[in-house]
Amino acid sequence: MHPSVYVFYAGYAALRTFALLKFSYMSKYSFAVKPVVVTVAIATLAISVVCFSFACFKLPAGDKKELIGLVMGGINAVHYAPQPVDDAFSEKIFKEFIERVDYNKKIFTQKDIDQLKSYKKNIDDQLKDSSYLFFDAVMQIYTLRIEQAYRYSSALLGKPFDFTVEESLETDGDKLSFVADTSALKEEWRKYMKLQVLQQLNLAETQQQKARETSDTVKVKSFEEMEPAAREKVKKNNEDFFDRVRELENNDWLAIYINTISNIEDPHTEYFPPVQKQNFDIQITGQLEGIGAQLQQRDGDIRVTSIVAGSASWRQGQLKANDVILSVGQGDAEPVSIEGMRLDKAIQLIRGKKGTEVRLTVRKPDGSVLIIPIIRDIVVLESTYAQSAIINSGEKKIGYIRLPEFYAAFDQKNGRSSADDIRKELEKLKAENVSGVILDLRDNGGGSLQEAVKMGGLFIPSGPIVQVRPRGSKPNVLSDTESSVVYSGPLTIMVNYYTASASEIIAAAMQDYHRAVIIGSNSTYGKGTVQNFFNLDDFVAQSDDSAPKLGSLKITIQKYYRINGGTTQLKGVTPDIIVPDPYAHIPYGEKEDPYALGWDEIAPAKYENWNATFDLAKLKSGSQQRVASSNAFQLVQQEATDFKQRRDNTVYSLNYKKFTAQQQEMDVKEKKYDAITADTSLVTVSSLAADWSKINFDTTSIARNQQFLKNLKKDIYLNEASKVITEMK
């Protein structure tokens, strides 16, 4: 075993001992994967998802062994419940990695899988030897098959398909088996390309129909006229897809392989290549160091799509939307051409430390070429931060706060803190004399555990907020130590299926104290674990700063528990008032992951209930009556049933008439559900007077605020929450 692995074990053992004495070090992050809205659509190749989960990074062959040794050693040393690395673990890796590489079973054949089965029970031995025999074998077959898939798909798009034939295609990878051989694989690609063309034809017809409804002069194209254009569009998409796949390097797939192994320990133990960790830090802080330009790769060009208001680019003034960046220079250094470069690689050249200069050579829309010097600065992503509004409900004013995530600037002197920001928003709402506050944690996937503890203290006197148990140790109680209460009035917390982690801590604590009424979906996400990041480069001896960067490992090191002793793990938080949700029948949450840690409970902490004056039974009864008489909520319940049916019906007809009929039926249902958000004046909402100077900073800020208010005005859930809080005494 490499000596650095022993350093790794010793280092992690020391950190773990230190963590037991001082929890704050280990609880830096409590993170859940950002929720993804469940949609029912044609399945696409899984490669297109996994390929871009990791930014490209370079790792010489000699460091591959070191990397896997560090990962496995770290997990074994500090993971809350590390799995034994045995044949059963090996079989899980075998199944999971093949599934991630080829979920839709359009790459490998059953013969390929049979060939790989010789590795099924010895991957554990390879891990102990820091060997990649299985990974290399999979990649060797994959490289061959992906080029075959490209040839199959390209050739198939050279002539029209027969859309009169009665045939269908299953699009759910879980319901599919690997086909026998390459002949059968080619047939699968034929059906897949045919389905793609059907989609394009249906889209073209739909657009044509909409155009006809608004104009009598639209030239109506026949099926025969639209079909070649649809095939050409699919061909272009197909070329782009395979180009992106070819850009992937062996190390990109290596990151996916190591992450597969990490995720088998539990879904939140993850390996992050250096760039991916940087992106995570941006998400958790809401800030990045760069120029403040949003970029897009289009037709081989790196194009500016927008400029972030107040950023370095915005202040410099010369870089504009639709500019194409040709090369990037670091100060006076020779510029590097980024024409044809992967977007993630180009971004890494453009990003940089605050105060450094980057020189962009750009081509303007008129064809002129200009060199633009920009001094990098902190870019603030305003959409990440807490935002508030006033709801006018009859004679009462209600405060509303939206918190997208629990952000914290751990290493930034003047960085933003979600708890501090919520404190400021509460103070502003109190100045407006609101009679209640709604804290909106819908779609909030979590973030900093420390911020959750601090935030809970804003609503109660001193007392416990959450309990945390490290591996093999007694639980620690994390408490608010400030006796003051920032806001003591009526409080309602909005949650949904995508409310996770730190958000669940707040909801659970306020529910246990009887401090707030929780309103939302049947349950929240159900993530009750705590993670910490470890920089793998800290555990190896490096000769200089140019040594390869190994990345970071996020490890689950603790489970957290409610102050009543239960855990949110798997079960989440059940709201006091449950309202219909369009995804009510869609399996979702931590409990759906086969590698999730289990549910358990511990002794409750000592705490005193809030002196609540509201009658929960009465509030619940009133809400149920309103929901039952609401046309919008009745539609939501119908939508939930339709979503479930569409999710389960994953077979698509490849007959043109039947496919079109299927799509038309779906479109009719979708239009019916537009009525759910049709009332754009349902909630009377306005901005706070204290925010007007910030809102009027520029046209971008004005537009952002207008969109924020527009969404609130038609929110049926916010409308119900405002009625609930109005009835709280």
Side-chain angles (χ1 to χ4, degrees), residues 635-652:
L635 278 174
V636 170
Q637 290 175 319
Q638 294 175 29
E639 188 177 29
T641 301
D642 279 346
F643 273 11
K644 176 66 165 60
Q645 291 176 348
R646 289 173 61 180
R647 178 185 178 275
D648 294 342
N649 296 334
T650 53
V651 176
Y652 287 82

Side-chain angles (χ1 to χ4, degrees), residues 383-404:
S383 60
T384 303
Y385 298 136
Q387 191 172 1
S388 61
I390 295 291
I391 299 170
N392 295 293
S393 180
E395 297 180 356
K396 294 185 177 181
K397 290 200 296 185
I398 298 168
Y400 168 84
I401 304 176
R402 169 87 176 111
L403 184 67

